Amino acid sequence: NERWQRVVSHVNSDNPSDWRQAIIEADVMLEEYLRTAGYHGDSIGDMLKAVEPGEIQNIRAAWDAHMVRNRIAHDGGDFQLTDREAKRVVTLFEQVFREVDII
């Protein structure tokens, strides 16, 4: 998956703005998956709430990763994202994407 490879490339960069971009891009991939899978809602949060127990085993990982994306989007430069945290969040997205066969 080329998009996923870009996410990985960004998160492995030395540039903190690339780490933010990796998380934002992964979150867009999550949104596209949820819409394609038939979940409805005005936001990713709404769609994640619509996931029934057992439909996505890694739903907690999806929530945790999405919440960090929200902090990046809403807190901007006030949110200090470390290299370690960026990699942890991308790994959460990876768990979800592997489960649902995106990557």
Side-chain angles (χ1 to χ4, degrees):
N1 186 311
E2 284 184 37
R3 287 178 74 190
W4 180 249
Q5 290 309 314
R6 278 196 308 274
V7 168
V8 171
S9 176
H10 284 313
V11 83
N12 287 325
S13 166
D14 292 330
N15 185 343
S17 66
D18 287 343
W19 308 339
R20 292 171 184 271
Q21 186 61 40
I23 292 168
I24 290 167
E25 180 64 24
D27 201 63
V28 169
M29 290 174 66
L30 176 63
E31 179 180 19
E32 290 174 359
Y33 164 74
L34 291 168
R35 289 202 190 286
T36 301
Y39 295 102
H40 302 286
D42 293 331
S43 68
I44 294 174
D46 289 342
M47 288 184 279
L48 288 173
K49 288 176 191 171
V51 175
E52 295 293 329
E55 289 180 336
I56 299 176
Q57 298 301 316
N58 285 305
I59 191 71
R60 185 77 248 156
W63 268 110
D64 290 348
H66 177 64
M67 295 308 292
V68 172
R69 177 267 174 207
N70 281 351
R71 295 211 39 214
I72 290 168
H74 299 293
D75 296 349
D78 291 338
F79 177 61
Q80 297 300 313
L81 181 66
T82 65
D83 173 52
R84 181 180 175 139
E85 176 68 354
K87 288 181 174 158
R88 182 188 76 83
V89 171
V90 168
T91 298
L92 293 173
F93 280 116
E94 181 179 13
Q95 291 170 358
V96 175
F97 296 161
R98 287 197 185 282
E99 177 185 343
V100 299
D101 292 326
I102 291 177
I103 58 172

